[in-house]
Amino acid sequence: MATIFSRIINGEIPCHKIAEDSEFFAFLDINPIAAGHTLVVPKQEIDYIFDLNDDLLGRMMAFAKKVAKAQQRAIPCKRIGLTVIGLEVPHAHIHLVPIQKESDIYFGKEKIKVTQEELAQTAENIRSEYK
Ligand code: 5GP
């Protein structure tokens, strides 16, 4: 059965898309820990990120870098933090989180409250900075 991320990539489940190319897809996390929290996913369904071959993993990081640069331009923050967890969805993904301080990327903290309209606006702001 397709993972929830494959169903998002295939357009079966809606998302606030940021960018895609032939191999990767980026979209806002539905339950963000910070404004602009984005997931980067390979289109190929591989559960564990460190099972990606070296070339694919390298290209995934290069794609994530372009997304992070767009986030940095669109969202007031000091850095874009990068985390891999992968305990919930068995489809490799990188979390890109705009942060001011270390605790902003702590996944045990309460999620931020955002409306669908705010998510749509945030996605639009990041997309407009994606080059
Ligand atoms: P992890 O697998 O890294 O522990 O967590 C999975 C992440 O995917 C979580 O941050 C969760 O909010 C996000 N997520 C789970 N299901 C969906 C979904 O259907 N849409 C989106 N946009 N994000 C999701």
Side-chain angles (χ1 to χ4, degrees), residues 57-78:
L57 184 58
R59 291 195 298 276
M60 186 170 172
M61 284 302 295
F63 178 82
K65 175 178 164 179
K66 282 172 55 175
V67 174
K69 296 274 184 190
Q71 288 172 287
Q72 183 99 52
R73 285 189 283 266
I75 312 244
C77 62
K78 254 192 189 147

Side-chain angles (χ1 to χ4, degrees), residues 3-75:
T3 68
I4 194 148
F5 290 167
S6 288
R7 297 180 64 204
I8 288 172
I9 292 164
N10 294 334
E12 294 165 38
I13 295 176
C15 75
H16 296 282
K17 179 176 155 183
I18 302 297
E20 76 177 308
D21 68 9
S22 60
E23 293 186 298
F24 307 105
F25 195 92
F27 56 104
L28 291 185
D29 195 297
I30 203 169
N31 211 359
I33 60 168
H37 176 177
T38 297
L39 302 175
V40 171
V41 179
K43 290 185 173 177
Q44 198 181 341
E45 237 179 46
I46 298 170
D47 177 356
Y48 185 40
I49 195 159
F50 296 122
D51 286 333
L52 270 65
N53 71 47
D54 293 356
D55 289 344
L56 188 62
L57 184 58
R59 291 195 298 276
M60 186 170 172
M61 284 302 295
F63 178 82
K65 175 178 164 179
K66 282 172 55 175
V67 174
K69 296 274 184 190
Q71 288 172 287
Q72 183 99 52
R73 285 189 283 266
I75 312 244

Side-chain angles (χ1 to χ4, degrees), residues 52-116:
L52 270 65
N53 71 47
D54 293 356
D55 289 344
L56 188 62
L57 184 58
R59 291 195 298 276
M60 186 170 172
M61 284 302 295
F63 178 82
K65 175 178 164 179
K66 282 172 55 175
V67 174
K69 296 274 184 190
Q71 288 172 287
Q72 183 99 52
R73 285 189 283 266
I75 312 244
C77 62
K78 254 192 189 147
R79 293 273 163 128
I80 303 300
L82 184 158
T83 300
V84 173
I85 301 177
L87 291 173
E88 185 186 322
V89 178
H91 186 150
H93 53 282
I94 290 171
H95 295 261
L96 295 176
V97 183
I99 55 173
Q100 295 288 357
K101 55 189 184 308
E102 187 185 328
S103 58
D104 291 342
I105 200 168
Y106 171 55
F107 278 74
K109 77 184 169 83
E110 211 176 310
K111 312 294 184 209
I112 62 164
K113 307 243 180 304
V114 277
T115 63
Q116 284 301 317

